[in-house]
Amino acid sequence: MRLKIWTEDVGDGCPCFVVAEIGSNHNGSLERAREMVAMAADAGADAVKFQTFRASRLYPRTAGTSDYLGLETPIYDIIEAMEMPEEWLAELAALSHDLGLAFLSSPFHEEAVGVLAPHVDAMKVASYEMTHEPLLDAVAASGKPLVMSCGASTFEETAHAVRRLQAKGVRDLVLLQCTAAYPSPPESIEVGALVELRERLGVLTGLSDHSEDPAAAPAVAASLGAVLVEKHVTMSKSLPGPDHAFAIEPDGLAALVRAVREAETLRGRGRKRVHPVEEELRTFARRSIFTTRAIVAGEALSRANVDVLRQGKAGVGLAPRRIDEVIGGRAARDLAEGAPVSPGDVLVEGVALIPDPDPDARVTPTIDLRPAEERDLGLVWAWANDAGARLASLVPGAIPYSSHVEWFRSALADPDRRMWIAEESGDPVAFLRLDGALAVSLEGADPPEVSLNVAPTRRTGGVGRAALEALAAECASAGATRIGAALLEGNQPSRRCFEAAGFRREGRRTLRGVEVDWYVLELSPERA
């Protein structure tokens, strides 16, 4: 679920949208309002929000005084002094947009909706207005994205307001968990309620925070998947007015933004996976079955000559779970000390071990291709220097980083070479390169050559095949009729992968001084 507020996407998979609630803390000064908008931009907020109300449409003159404020002045008079002139709206909206901020306001009576509509990027329904159904109907009819707080409300009351808005055609809605106390004590914040609201009502949720700590509750909210947080801001807590004391000052707003962004980074995508930074040590430090001394063909395999060891850069052998199959077997050929033991190296009653199930026989993952960029330089180098990748390469040996940087940047600029990063659910899983013009292949001419390097942690599960199929569709869309690939003779994993994607062997040839098997994939418009 996503919606757009001004130029920003808000919702699943988007950065948490931070709203600086200026409210009425301008204290009736347009210059102060401008200053606060600039402060919010400097602090890194995404939006500012004001309030549009009239005392005559909020309270009767007989409402008396507010015990919570502790003032002898009637609440009607306090509200009347806080009214923001409608004439400010156009100027403040333009200033906000100039500074890269969305502009929001809360209408507190039906007529205010029409006043705000030409100027705001979204409207906010305050907690105490959730039961004001004429106002709900008016904001629903505005067609603007809506943000609604649900402080001092039961779940049933909240659900009724949400359903009322939805029945009136509202689809772009963010519901904010809120505690209507100023300030709110920590034990009352109930940030986790945003999860219940999201799951039970099926809407985007966030937090309207009135606690004194600038960043704690917003950071927790971001870690729980809040798509929007808002907090009252002020230039100084010492200023007169009912909303300054519990608001946060400029340095507090900057701290809030930092905490929310850090929480988002720590939360990640919320699913267990092997992160790219783990890939090198995953391959280096995980274990395979290795020889512990030289073994001659026909020799019995036992704990005296094989063991389960960490792989380092020595290569990848049989998985540790297969050690019982290896013990008692015999060596199919001479094996050097410290060599990874593969299925073909072990004979049991004269028959080689069966390899692990073909990973390309599994369900094909969904792969998206994007053009490689400068930011992918380090990731591609790490994948290329993996021990398995070096064994499959036509150019053996480790790749110095400086040489890789020069090559990668040159390749990005080469019009006859295209490179892609294959992604699964936003995670990079493979690197593909096409050498040669991506155009209709001439009769008798060699087609463009494909190179594939799958992330070491993703060399099972059909990622390589899916990446090749995505590339084939890309090439077919560009009008190519054939693409080729050069594979080393003993590279069985790559052979299985390319054949599963439809490549067929067309013989042997010498490329870059190396004898290779040449594979070709015939493309058709149906692949596009």
Side-chain angles (χ1 to χ4, degrees):
M1 296 185 292
R2 289 188 181 184
L3 54 91
K4 188 176 287 290
I5 298 180
W6 191 40
T7 61
E8 296 299 316
D9 288 329
V10 178
D12 296 335
C14 303
C16 186
F17 194 75
V18 177
V19 179
E21 164 74 274
I22 295 173
S24 57
N25 280 351
H26 48 73
N27 283 13
S29 166
L30 179 57
E31 185 56 39
R32 174 63 54 79
R34 293 193 197 99
E35 182 184 15
M36 296 186 74
V37 171
M39 177 271 289
D42 289 342
D46 298 300
V48 291
K49 188 176 82 66
F50 290 85
Q51 296 176 358
T52 303
F53 53 80
R54 292 291 174 264
S56 62
R57 300 303 308 281
L58 273 178
Y59 288 99
R61 287 188 178 275
T62 57
T65 60
S66 168
D67 294 338
Y68 124 77
L69 290 176
L71 299 173
E72 296 182 1
T73 306
I75 189 64
Y76 187 98
D77 296 341
I78 292 173
I79 295 298
E80 190 173 41
M82 295 165 58
E83 294 176 359
M84 187 179 88
E86 295 174 3
E87 294 75 22
W88 293 7
L89 289 169
E91 180 176 343
L92 292 176
L95 175 63
S96 300
H97 290 169
D98 288 344
L99 296 176
L101 298 171
F103 183 72
L104 286 69
S105 187
S106 299
F108 285 81
H109 54 279
E110 300 95 305
E111 295 80 5
V113 174
V115 171
L116 290 176
H119 307 291
V120 298
D121 302 304
M123 293 194 192
K124 168 71 188 297
V125 177
S127 292
Y128 300 123
E129 308 308 318
M130 277 184 50
T131 59
H132 185 353
E133 293 194 352
L135 179 63
L136 296 185
D137 294 348
V139 295
S142 74
K144 296 286 184 178
L146 300 183
V147 181
M148 181 170 69
S149 289
C150 58
S153 299
T154 65
F155 178 84
E156 290 71 22
E157 291 169 334
T158 303
H160 178 79
V162 169
R163 300 306 181 218
R164 174 86 183 195
L165 290 170
Q166 292 174 332
K168 295 293 182 177
V170 172
R171 296 293 176 265
D172 292 341
L173 172 67
V174 181
L175 181 64
L176 304 185
Q177 161 61 5
C178 177
T179 302
Y182 312 92
S184 304
E187 65 273 14
S188 74
I189 305 301
E190 295 286 357
V191 181
L194 69 88
V195 178
E196 180 194 23
L197 294 170
R198 178 175 65 224
E199 293 180 350
R200 293 182 64 183
L201 297 178
V203 296
L204 295 170
T205 57
L207 177 71
S208 178
D209 178 36
H210 299 132
S211 63
E212 292 186 285
D213 189 289
V220 174
S223 72
L224 293 176
V227 304
L228 185 152
V229 297
E230 73 167 8
K231 201 166 178 75
H232 281 261
V233 296
T234 179
M235 298 307 295
S236 172
K237 288 177 174 289
S238 64
L239 288 169
D243 291 347
H244 291 282
F246 67 87
I248 58 174
E249 296 174 331
D251 58 345
L253 180 58
L256 182 157
V257 173
R258 287 195 301 273
V260 165
R261 299 298 172 236
E262 290 169 3
E264 290 175 318
T265 300
L266 293 170
R267 185 187 73 223
R269 293 190 173 94
R271 56 187 176 84
K272 180 58 184 167
R273 62 191 177 110
V274 178
H275 198 277
V277 299
E278 299 178 289
E279 287 178 348
E280 178 187 354
L281 286 177
R282 175 181 166 90
T283 301
F284 193 90
R286 291 183 74 145
R287 296 181 182 242
S288 290
I289 300 175
F290 282 85
T291 61
T292 55
R293 62 170 175 78
I295 300 173
V296 298
E299 185 177 346
L301 301 176
S302 69
R303 282 290 190 174
N305 53 24
V306 296
D307 200 357
V308 176
L309 302 174
R310 291 189 174 186
Q311 294 161 174
K313 295 181 178 178
V316 179
L318 284 163
R321 59 184 169 77
R322 304 195 67 180
I323 186 65
D324 290 341
E325 298 177 66
V326 172
I327 299 302
R330 294 187 176 276
R333 59 185 180 87
D334 292 345
L335 301 173
E337 180 182 350
V341 178
S342 65
D345 295 333
V346 181
L347 297 176
V348 176
E349 296 182 354
V351 178
L353 291 183
I354 298 173
D356 287 331
D358 182 0
D360 287 319
R362 304 177 189 176
V363 175
T364 302
T366 300
I367 294 295
D368 296 309
L369 295 185
R370 64 166 175 82
E373 304 171 8
E374 177 89 9
R375 64 187 170 105
D376 303 311
L377 190 154
L379 183 64
V380 172
W381 177 73
W383 290 349
N385 261 343
D386 170 73
R390 300 318 315 141
L391 288 172
S393 175
L394 273 61
V395 183
I399 304 170
Y401 185 73
S402 58
S403 300
H404 174 76
V405 170
E406 182 179 353
W407 171 85
F408 193 84
R409 288 174 175 165
S410 174
L412 284 176
D414 189 341
D416 288 334
R417 174 174 280 163
R418 296 184 65 184
M419 303 188 297
W420 295 266
I421 299 295
E423 294 182 332
E424 181 184 15
S425 300
D427 290 334
V429 294
F431 170 66
L432 299 109
R433 189 179 80 242
L434 195 71
D435 292 328
L438 186 56
V440 177
S441 305
L442 298 176
E443 185 70 28
D446 280 340
E449 180 187 345
V450 177
S451 296
L452 169 69
N453 192 352
V454 179
T457 57
R458 300 306 308 273
R459 289 177 184 158
T460 60
V463 166
R465 179 184 65 183
L468 289 172
E469 290 174 346
L471 177 63
E474 180 87 11
C475 294
S477 297
T481 58
R482 309 173 83 222
I483 52 177
L487 305 180
L488 291 176
E489 182 178 10
N491 186 0
Q492 293 302 322
S494 290
R495 185 185 301 273
R496 290 196 302 270
C497 175
F498 277 79
E499 289 178 350
F503 284 77
R504 295 295 175 258
R505 184 175 179 274
E506 284 196 351
R508 291 182 61 77
R509 61 172 58 187
T510 301
L511 287 181
R512 297 182 281 282
V514 179
E515 285 288 316
V516 297
D517 288 323
W518 180 246
Y519 278 73
V520 170
L521 176 64
E522 302 288 345
L523 302 176
S524 62
E526 288 74 22
R527 280 190 176 268

